[in-house]
Amino acid sequence: MRDSFHTRIGFVLAAAGSAIGLGNIWGFPSQVANHGGAAFLIVYLLVVVVLAVPALYTELSLGHAAQANPVKALSSLSATAQPLTAISGKTMGYLNVVGAILMLSFYHLVAAWMLAEGFTFLLTALQLPAMTPFFADASMLRDIILLLVFVALTFGIVINGVQQGIERWSRRLMPLLVVLLVGLIAYMSTLPGSADGFRAYLVPDFSAMWNADLLVSAMGQAFFSLSIGLGGMMIYGSYLKKDTRIGRLTWSVAALDTFVAFLAGLLIIPALYVAMAQGLSVTEGEQLIGEGRLIFQVLPDLFTQLGYAGAWLGFGFFALLSIAALTSTIATAEVPIAYAIETHPLNRRQAASIIAAIIAVIGCALVIWFEPLFNWVVTYVTQFQLPLSGLFYFIVLGWFWQRSNRVRELATTSWRYRLLFWHLRLICPLLLAWVFVDVAL
């Protein structure tokens, strides 16, 4: 018997935790800052409804219907059209498994850097300078040790299963993440320069709303922020009971994810303006610095300038990022684990141990051969695997999956469901193809 989620709130927190990752904390605020402030936020909310929620609903529905890992799910549902389509479904399922392993490998390395920053600020706050250099100074040894620590955290949770591992820890980590985020926002709002940041974030530049680049960026951010495209949501959907109403859960997950992304903007954008007031450089050309340099250069410099309070602020911030990373890795880890359990004579402990070892080896390889490997792996997963898989999910639901397709059946009952079906079948694939072409080229 397959494991399953015990409660609705447990599923929502786990699925939202999967979606709430680094894209929410550093990607979303950077996009807002560089695309017209609240103008981007308005367009983003519209795009969440038009594209991201349907994509999330589609992935959850595929897993829920098949009650299986992505390889079996996409193969079996694609085969209801004709046997040849099952081959494409199985191929995409295998790509999901491989993509999940690659994503976990580089994600754990980024998480290791976050642990290093967090421990550096914690030791500074505790006034333990003798221990600080190991975490503060970049080295292969430091990165490998902390990567293995984070791998142990991830698989120490998922090895206990869905209810006792993922659901239990999601119910603990997600409230802690929100409390940390709100606390950091409250403190940041007391610092000089934060008011300008709040205005930049919340006051829209409506002239920017008609920029095609803003629309494509909003679609890409909305799609990526919901963790669609590697099979994690498909696996979570397969752990729901057969009589579960997917639509309501989809809206709940999307709402919580969007709320946390909004809160992240309330923290990051004012922090940039506080850094500017402290005399730090936060721009690159006409754009505010975002993503990696923002997290590992600008904000640590700001926390350092704020002295003793800044050390605790820095620790809280990187604890927040580490929690966000962990809630994402435990979801993605289920993709290869479920595949291993359902296709090989392995129990969960054996499967989790093997997958953890594979990810640890690849992660260490990324540390050792960083220059040739890291950017290639990140580019493959984020710019090719994610949008390509999301596009394929729409094709399966709208074209390949015919027998027992609940959305297709409902389309025969009313014009509203018929519009929904054609939206999922035609409009969403075209929008996502636009995003795929934009990020791939």
Side-chain angles (χ1 to χ4, degrees):
M1 181 177 178
R2 300 183 87 244
D3 206 348
S4 63
F5 286 100
H6 183 62
T7 62
R8 172 189 172 94
I9 187 63
F11 168 80
V12 170
L13 290 175
S18 169
I20 296 166
L22 305 185
N24 293 77
I25 307 298
W26 76 35
F28 176 77
S30 300
Q31 295 280 15
V32 174
N34 292 316
H35 291 93
F40 181 90
L41 183 60
I42 294 169
V43 175
Y44 177 83
L45 293 175
L46 292 174
V47 168
V48 165
V49 174
V50 172
L51 177 62
V53 168
L56 177 59
Y57 173 78
T58 296
E59 184 168 345
L60 287 173
S61 296
L62 296 177
H64 185 237
Q67 296 284 293
N69 67 84
V71 176
K72 183 177 179 181
L74 294 175
S75 175
S76 61
L77 296 178
S78 298
T80 63
Q82 55 178 305
L84 287 177
T85 58
I87 298 174
S88 62
K90 179 174 287 190
T91 300
M92 184 56 68
Y94 282 124
L95 287 176
N96 277 192
V97 174
V98 172
I101 290 174
L102 291 176
M103 182 270 198
L104 285 165
S105 300
F106 79 75
Y107 218 83
H108 277 87
L109 177 53
V110 176
W113 298 336
M114 292 173 182
L115 288 180
E117 293 284 353
F119 280 123
T120 299
F121 283 111
L122 176 61
L123 292 171
T124 301
L126 295 175
Q127 299 182 345
L128 298 171
M131 301 173 64
T132 303
F134 174 77
F135 296 102
D137 300 334
S139 68
M140 282 190 184
L141 179 62
R142 182 203 72 174
D143 288 352
I144 288 174
I145 290 175
L146 294 181
L147 181 145
L148 295 178
V149 167
F150 212 90
V151 169
L153 287 173
T154 297
F155 286 88
I157 292 174
V158 298
I159 204 169
N160 292 309
V162 177
Q163 287 187 25
Q164 298 304 313
I166 296 171
E167 184 172 355
R168 172 182 288 182
W169 278 96
S170 295
R171 293 171 72 105
R172 297 170 178 174
L173 293 172
M174 284 301 297
L176 179 59
L177 182 147
V178 173
V179 169
L180 272 174
L181 193 49
V182 171
L184 290 169
I185 292 168
Y187 183 81
M188 194 64 66
S189 67
T190 66
L191 300 177
S194 62
D196 292 332
F198 286 119
R199 278 192 292 272
Y201 183 51
L202 298 174
V203 177
D205 175 8
F206 288 111
S207 64
M209 292 182 66
W210 314 112
N211 189 326
D213 181 57
L214 183 151
L215 178 58
V216 176
S217 297
M219 286 194 293
Q221 181 63 39
F223 178 79
F224 295 134
S225 70
L226 280 173
S227 190
I228 299 160
L230 286 178
M233 290 299 184
M234 196 180 302
I235 284 295
Y236 276 10
S238 75
Y239 292 144
L240 290 169
K241 294 178 174 61
K242 291 292 289 184
D243 60 347
T244 302
R245 299 186 68 173
I246 299 294
R248 291 182 178 179
L249 288 178
T250 301
W251 282 107
S252 298
V253 172
L256 182 54
D257 173 78
T258 303
F259 174 66
V260 171
F262 174 74
L263 289 181
L266 286 177
L267 172 64
I268 300 296
I269 305 304
L272 280 171
Y273 280 81
V274 170
M276 201 181 307
Q278 292 285 328
L280 297 173
S281 175
V282 300
T283 58
E284 191 170 38
E286 296 182 355
Q287 301 280 296
L288 285 171
I289 292 174
E291 302 188 351
R293 286 184 59 198
L294 166 67
I295 298 302
F296 295 111
Q297 179 181 331
V298 176
L299 292 182
D301 288 346
L302 168 62
F303 301 144
T304 300
Q305 288 203 13
L306 295 176
Y308 182 72
W312 284 110
L313 185 63
F315 170 66
F317 178 73
F318 283 102
L320 168 71
L321 287 179
S322 298
I323 292 171
L326 183 58
T327 57
S328 294
T329 57
I330 61 177
T332 308
E334 271 299 295
V335 176
I337 288 175
Y339 168 74
I341 293 172
E342 294 172 13
T343 57
H344 296 86
L346 299 171
N347 59 37
R348 173 170 282 271
R349 182 170 295 274
Q350 293 169 330
S353 299
I354 292 170
I355 300 302
I358 292 172
I359 289 164
V361 169
I362 299 175
C364 289
L366 293 179
V367 174
I368 297 169
W369 295 287
F370 182 82
E371 288 298 332
L373 291 181
F374 186 80
N375 285 337
W376 182 87
V377 172
V378 173
T379 299
Y380 167 75
V381 173
T382 60
Q383 297 187 15
F384 290 92
Q385 178 73 66
L386 290 175
L388 186 62
S389 294
L391 179 59
F392 188 81
Y393 298 162
F394 282 127
I395 293 172
V396 172
L397 184 137
W399 300 90
F400 292 170
W401 178 20
Q402 296 179 2
R403 294 191 298 274
S404 302
N405 185 332
R406 178 64 174 164
V407 181
R408 183 184 290 270
E409 292 169 357
L410 288 173
T412 63
T413 64
S414 75
W415 65 270
R416 292 184 181 87
Y417 286 116
R418 195 151 45 248
L419 283 177
L420 172 63
F421 179 63
W422 279 100
H423 181 72
L424 295 171
R425 193 182 200 196
L426 191 61
I427 303 301
C428 288
L430 289 174
L431 291 175
L432 195 50
W434 184 8
V435 174
F436 176 67
V437 171
D438 182 76
V439 298
L441 299 181

